[in-house]
């Protein structure tokens, strides 16, 4: 055995010419015995193993082409074949690594190559055909797809609440696709069922649920996680909904911030509660729920004969990045017996930092939490979780005990068959990429990541406060959303209270956005909110950026908009 403790095995397969009768072994030697000898004698250097030759009972489908046909004629077959696919897959993955990963994240390259929709339609070969393309053509299409796609991993892509190509997350994503699991039963996803339980328990512990107890799931996006929270809350208060449906219910009411994510209203509508029964609570000047208005709306709903059952607070609103006052909301939920949900899809990542987790003080008192690692923690899309302190509520709410999948007489402990608590059946192993990142970085690495992106946001904020022409929408941002206006030199002399100033300012951000996209220099989004005209929203979650990048963003906006 080599010094590194690894058994060096060189195998020379020697085919025995003996034939089989009724499956009996030749010369009294079984294949199992040969295999056992190979592994039991791990301390030996095995140079050859004699294996008896069995007839190929699978026939031509195993590896022999049909008579008169070439292997290339079997492009319809879904099984990888080294001879046919290894070179193609090697070239494909090399192209992906070079063009979609390393070159795409290089600051010297563009974030995107803008092409108008009509021209792109003519440029791209997207037609579906009867006959298969060659491997060369498929590689050409791969390059074209990469060339015309937005490089969301680029340091200067700050357009949405996700970004970056984390190398370990990418590795986990590739492994997920190679294994192609569906996480519903232990028998088909043994590793991932256990992996989910470990990760979800740790996340519940970080939220502050005692000993990490409770329940949780990986969901296809934060919107669906919020929907799961509504479903669980409704079931807890009205369990008959599962069997009797909406006819058994009084008018239910949910309360959430007027600045909350649209998914609360959308999922309430989808689930038959109705968007009119989502009462929007007013926010203060920095985007937080007003507690006085929340309580008055709870009392209004009760006076109308409705049944208030849930408050959906937000920890990191989509635009402003505000954190609702969770402790005060928890007090009201306790007072009026309401389910407290916290949509921390965006801001939940701050829980990983000792310095910034105080932004979510009170979250430990919640009934459920949505937390998306693909946002502030920069895991690959998609990676979203619903966490709850209530054990088994997901199963109680959603299970149907389908006997063709969730049989109770299996030979192993069926409590590991977790899929029946989902409304999905087939479900990706979104946990793997996040678990892989967590093992590669450790909790300490995630804390450093969070501290870095907040540091960048603070530096950017301080820089534009001292830069002529830049004005803050929210003077002191809580999260890494920095919302600001750029006022070009030609607009600075126009009276601020005039209709002309407001109208012209409203057009600045869209025009600058158009120019940056056509240049391919960066992507930052803009929007109005309430009575405020269009402003830029910089969202930072890529910890590879530094102060020089913050300066670049400011200079680029000024360059693109100074003549407006």
């Amino acid at each position: 055995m080599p010094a590194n403790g690894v058994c060096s095995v060189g195998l020379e397969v020697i085919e025995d010419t003996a034939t089989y009768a009724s499956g009996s072994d030749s010369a009294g030697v079984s294949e199992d015995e040969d295999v056992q000898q190979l592994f039991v004698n791990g301390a030996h250097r095995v140079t050859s193993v004699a294996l008896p030759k069995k007839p190929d009972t699978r026939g031509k489908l195993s590896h022999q082409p049909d008579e008169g046909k070439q292997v290339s004629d079997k492009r319809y077959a879904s099984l990888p074949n080294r001879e046919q696919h290894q070179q193609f897959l090697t070239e494909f993955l090399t192209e992906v690594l070079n063009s979609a990963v390393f070159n795409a994240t290089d600051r010297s390259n563009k974030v995107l190559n803008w092409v108008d929709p009509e021209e792109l339609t003519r440029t791209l070969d997207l037609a579906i055909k009867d006959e298969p393309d060659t491997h060369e053509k498929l590689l050409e299409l791969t390059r074209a797809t990469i060339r015309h796609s937005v490089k969301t991993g680029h340091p200067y892509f700050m357009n949405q609440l996700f970004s970056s190509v984390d190398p370990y997350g990418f590795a986990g994503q590739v492994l997920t696709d190679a294994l192609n699991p569906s996480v519903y039963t232990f028998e088909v996803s043994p590793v991932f069922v256990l992996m989910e339980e470990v990760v979800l328990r740790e996340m519940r512990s970080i939220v502050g649920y005692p000993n990490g107890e409770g329940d949780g799931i990986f969901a296809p996006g934060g919107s669906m996680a919020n929907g799961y929270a509504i479903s669980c809350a409704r079931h807890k208060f009205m369990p008959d909904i599962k069997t009797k449906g909406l006819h058994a219910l009084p008018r239910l009411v949910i309360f959430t911030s007027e600045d909350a994510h649209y998914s609360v209203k959308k999922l309430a509508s989808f689930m038959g509660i109705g968007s009119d029964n989502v009462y929007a609570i007013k926010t203060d000047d920095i985007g937080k729920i007003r507690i006085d208005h929340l309580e008055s709306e709870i009392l209004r709903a009760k006076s109308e004969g409705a049944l208030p059952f849930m408050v959906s607070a937000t920890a990191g609103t989509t635009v402003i990045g505000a954190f609702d006052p969770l402790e005060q909301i928890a007090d009201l939920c306790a007072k009026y017996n309401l389910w407290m949900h916290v949509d921390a899809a965006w801001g939940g990542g701050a829980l990983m930092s000792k310095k910034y987790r105080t932004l979510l003080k009170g979250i430990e008192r919640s009934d459920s939490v949505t937390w998306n690692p693909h946002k502030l923690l920069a895991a690959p899309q998609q990676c979203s979780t619903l966490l709850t302190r209530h054990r088994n509520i997901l199963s109680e709410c959603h299970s149907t005990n389908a006997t063709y999948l969730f049989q109770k007489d299996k030979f192993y402990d069926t409590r590991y068959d977790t899929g029946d608590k989902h409304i999905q059946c087939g479900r990706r192993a979104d946990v793997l990429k996040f678990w892989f990142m967590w093992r590669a970085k450790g909790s300490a690495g995630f804390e450093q990541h969070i501290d870095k992106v907040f540091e960048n946001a603070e530096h950017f904020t301080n820089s534009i406060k001292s830069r002529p022409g830049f004005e803050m929408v929210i003077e002191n941002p809580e999260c890494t959303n920095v919302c600001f206006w750029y006022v070009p030199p030609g607009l600075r002399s126009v009276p601020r209270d005039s209709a002309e100033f407001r109208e012209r300012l409203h057009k600045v951000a869209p025009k600058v956005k158009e120019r940056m996209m056509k240049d391919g220099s960066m992507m930052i989004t803009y929007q109005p909110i309430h009575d405020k005209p269009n402003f830029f929203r910089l969202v930072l979650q890529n910890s590879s950026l530094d102060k020089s990048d913050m300066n670049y963003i400011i200079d680029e906006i000024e360059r693109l908009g100074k003549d407006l």
Side-chain angles (χ1 to χ4, degrees):
M1 178 179 287
N4 63 7
V6 178
C7 177
S8 177
V9 181
L11 296 180
E12 176 188 356
V13 178
I14 304 172
E15 294 185 345
D16 194 326
T17 57
T19 60
Y20 278 72
S22 301
S24 61
D25 298 327
S26 174
V29 180
S30 72
E31 184 179 9
D32 287 343
E33 288 172 348
D34 284 323
V35 174
Q36 184 179 33
Q37 183 70 19
L38 172 63
F39 286 97
V40 169
N41 296 338
H44 299 287
R45 181 178 181 86
V46 182
T47 57
S48 65
V49 178
L51 298 177
K53 183 179 180 181
K54 290 183 178 181
D56 188 1
T57 58
R58 294 172 298 174
K60 299 173 182 178
L61 290 180
S62 62
H63 56 272
Q64 294 292 334
D66 292 341
E67 185 176 348
K69 291 187 177 181
Q70 300 298 317
V71 173
S72 60
D73 290 336
K74 292 194 172 181
R75 292 285 289 278
Y76 66 85
S78 300
L79 188 69
N81 177 287
R82 283 189 183 275
E83 181 180 353
Q84 187 174 1
H85 301 119
Q86 183 165 358
Q87 181 177 348
F88 166 70
L89 290 175
T90 300
E91 292 179 8
F92 172 81
L93 291 172
T94 299
E95 187 67 49
V96 169
L97 284 173
N98 286 336
S99 300
V101 176
F102 293 112
N103 289 344
T105 58
D106 190 323
R107 286 170 174 78
S108 64
N109 292 326
K110 292 183 176 184
V111 177
L112 75 159
N113 296 293
W114 174 258
V115 180
D116 288 325
E118 294 77 11
E119 183 181 347
L120 189 59
T121 300
R122 293 190 297 270
T123 301
L124 283 179
D125 179 9
L126 299 178
I128 303 300
K129 306 173 182 178
D130 287 336
E131 297 302 319
D133 283 320
T134 64
H135 285 171
E136 290 74 18
K137 178 63 176 179
L138 293 175
L139 292 170
E140 177 188 321
L141 295 172
T142 301
R143 288 186 285 270
T145 299
I146 296 170
R147 182 166 60 253
H148 291 294
S149 293
V150 175
K151 312 307 185 294
T152 61
H154 195 288
Y156 300 144
F157 176 85
M158 295 155 285
N159 204 68
Q160 259 72 42
L161 302 183
F162 69 90
S163 72
S164 81
V165 178
D166 185 272
Y168 302 108
F170 173 75
Q173 185 100 303
V174 170
L175 182 54
T176 300
D177 287 341
L179 294 172
N180 193 32
S182 186
V183 188
Y184 37 52
T185 62
F186 181 82
E187 66 180 272
V188 296
S189 288
V191 174
F192 302 122
V193 165
L194 300 179
M195 189 182 286
E196 280 194 345
E197 292 305 302
V198 168
V199 170
L200 291 169
R201 175 178 286 273
E202 184 64 21
M203 293 178 76
R204 290 193 297 267
S205 180
I206 291 169
V207 165
Y209 296 155
N211 301 315
E213 292 295 327
D215 206 347
I217 51 174
F218 278 80
S223 293
M224 288 303 300
N226 285 338
Y228 274 117
I230 296 171
S231 180
C232 289
R234 184 174 66 175
H235 179 82
K236 184 173 188 296
F237 285 91
M238 303 291 294
D240 283 350
I241 181 66
K242 184 174 181 180
T243 54
K244 294 184 171 63
L246 297 175
H247 298 289
L249 298 182
R251 183 167 70 89
L252 300 178
V253 175
I254 301 170
F255 307 92
T256 195
S257 161
E258 62 182 342
D259 294 342
H261 193 263
Y262 65 83
S263 60
V264 178
K265 182 174 288 188
K266 179 174 285 191
L267 268 296
S269 176
F270 178 78
M271 294 169 63
I273 293 171
S275 58
D276 286 349
N277 294 315
V278 179
Y279 286 20
I281 308 304
K282 294 177 182 178
T283 55
D284 61 20
D285 292 340
I286 56 175
K288 296 174 180 289
I289 269 184
R290 281 177 40 192
I291 293 297
D292 60 334
H293 190 239
L294 173 59
E295 185 164 23
S296 69
E297 287 294 273
I298 293 171
L299 294 173
R300 178 169 77 89
K302 291 170 73 70
S303 71
E304 295 168 347
L307 178 64
F309 77 105
M310 179 182 185
V311 176
S312 180
T314 310
T317 56
T318 304
V319 178
I320 301 298
F323 289 79
D324 285 336
L326 302 182
E327 288 190 300
Q328 293 172 278
I329 292 172
D331 289 341
L332 283 184
C333 287
K335 181 178 179 179
Y336 293 104
N337 190 31
L338 305 176
W339 180 287
M340 179 183 173
H341 175 62
V342 181
D343 180 358
W346 172 230
L351 290 167
M352 302 298 289
S353 167
K354 290 186 288 289
K355 182 177 180 180
Y356 294 103
R357 68 170 289 123
T358 55
L359 291 166
L360 297 99
K361 188 177 181 182
I363 196 172
E364 71 281 356
R365 297 174 62 187
S366 66
D367 291 282
S368 58
V369 172
T370 291
W371 179 359
N372 288 8
H374 74 236
K375 291 188 175 178
L376 204 50
L377 292 179
Q381 288 269 30
Q382 60 192 17
C383 191
S384 305
T385 64
L386 184 280
L387 312 167
T388 175
R389 65 165 62 251
H390 301 281
R391 296 183 65 181
N392 302 321
I393 193 167
L394 285 158
S395 290
E396 294 168 5
C397 185
H398 302 122
S399 64
T400 56
N401 300 308
T403 55
Y404 55 82
L405 187 58
F406 303 111
Q407 305 95 330
K408 299 304 180 184
D409 56 353
K410 292 181 179 179
F411 64 92
Y412 60 84
D413 187 346
T414 57
R415 67 188 174 91
Y416 292 107
D417 288 356
T418 57
D420 206 16
K421 66 185 180 182
H422 304 276
I423 59 172
Q424 296 171 259
C425 182
R427 193 169 59 88
R428 283 176 56 84
D430 289 329
V431 64
L432 177 54
K433 55 203 169 193
F434 183 44
W435 176 86
F436 208 78
M437 288 176 65
W438 209 331
R439 292 297 295 263
K441 301 168 186 281
S443 297
F446 277 141
E447 181 172 25
Q448 290 174 309
H449 165 85
I450 292 296
D451 289 349
K452 180 63 176 179
V453 295
F454 272 88
E455 177 189 319
N456 284 336
E458 291 162 11
H459 176 79
F460 185 90
T461 298
N462 292 332
S463 297
I464 62 174
K465 282 182 177 180
S466 61
R467 189 78 164 254
F470 289 85
E471 299 181 10
M472 299 293 295
V473 176
I474 300 295
E475 192 67 18
N476 297 300
E478 287 188 290
C479 200
T480 63
N481 314 44
V482 186
C483 299
F484 61 95
W485 289 285
Y486 173 65
V487 184
L491 189 54
R492 294 172 197 172
S493 59
V494 178
R496 293 303 179 93
D497 58 354
S498 67
E500 179 191 358
F501 179 83
R502 182 182 179 84
E503 183 180 339
R504 287 177 59 184
L505 181 62
H506 192 64
K507 296 177 181 178
V508 170
K511 191 62 180 178
V512 172
K513 176 67 176 288
E514 176 189 345
R515 290 176 175 180
M516 72 172 68
M517 289 190 67
K518 288 183 175 178
D519 283 2
S521 59
M522 62 185 184
M523 282 184 67
I524 298 173
T525 193
Y526 69 87
Q527 65 284 299
I529 190 170
H530 304 313
D531 61 345
K532 294 178 171 61
N534 280 325
F535 55 86
F536 292 104
R537 181 197 62 170
L538 175 71
V539 284
L540 296 167
Q541 69 263 42
N542 187 334
S543 55
S544 69
L545 277 67
D546 55 28
K547 293 179 180 179
S548 65
D549 294 310
M550 301 301 101
N551 297 335
Y552 167 83
I553 295 165
I554 298 169
D555 291 341
E556 185 67 3
I557 289 175
E558 193 170 52
R559 180 185 75 83
L560 295 168
K562 63 185 178 182
D563 65 331
L564 297 175

